[in-house]
């Protein structure tokens, strides 16, 4: 198994009921807000989901950058020698 996209889950997902809330003001595009309200979108939850997604992308990018050398070394080892237990595979 190549480790091009490997990244462990480092934290448990947070839910609205498990974390304290903090009132925050944000400036959003008026048309987006109007459309979201017309469609019944919870703006607070939508903003939180967007921030969480962005943070997950940034954490992944950081983790991959910090571990690039180890991933390259592991991939080179597998490319040269194959998987350690490949001979025992049943498929």
């Amino acid at each position: 198994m190549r480790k091009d996209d490997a990244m462990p889950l480092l934290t448990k997902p947070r839910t609205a009921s498990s974390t304290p809330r903090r009132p925050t003001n944000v400036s959003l595009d008026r048309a987006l807000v109007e459309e979201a309200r017309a469609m019944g979108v919870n703006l607070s939850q939508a903003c939180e989901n967007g921030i969480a997604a962005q943070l997950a992308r940034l954490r992944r990018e950081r983790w991959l950058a910090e571990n690039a050398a180890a991933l390259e070394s592991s991939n080179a080892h597998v490319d040269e020698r194959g998987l350690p237990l490949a001979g025992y595979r049943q498929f």
Side-chain angles (χ1 to χ4, degrees):
M1 173 173 118
R2 292 190 57 83
K3 298 179 182 176
D4 297 324
D5 243 3
M7 184 181 157
L9 294 175
L10 302 175
T11 58
K12 284 177 42 178
R14 295 180 181 167
T15 62
S17 61
S18 69
T19 59
R21 312 321 280 155
R22 177 181 174 174
T24 305
N25 292 323
V26 295
S27 297
L28 303 170
D29 180 275
R30 182 177 304 216
L32 287 175
V33 172
E34 289 172 2
E35 184 176 1
R37 284 189 177 149
M39 298 183 100
V41 173
N42 179 325
L43 293 177
S44 294
Q45 191 63 49
C47 288
E48 189 170 322
N49 290 343
I51 292 168
Q54 178 67 19
L55 289 173
R57 280 190 295 274
L58 292 171
R59 284 187 201 112
R60 179 182 181 279
E61 290 171 9
R62 180 187 302 163
W63 188 92
L64 288 172
E66 289 173 352
N67 293 282
L71 293 170
E72 288 174 24
S73 173
S74 177
N75 288 337
H77 179 84
V78 170
D79 289 343
E80 292 171 13
R81 297 179 180 91
L83 293 171
L85 302 175
Y88 298 98
R89 283 186 170 177
Q90 299 292 316
F91 54 94

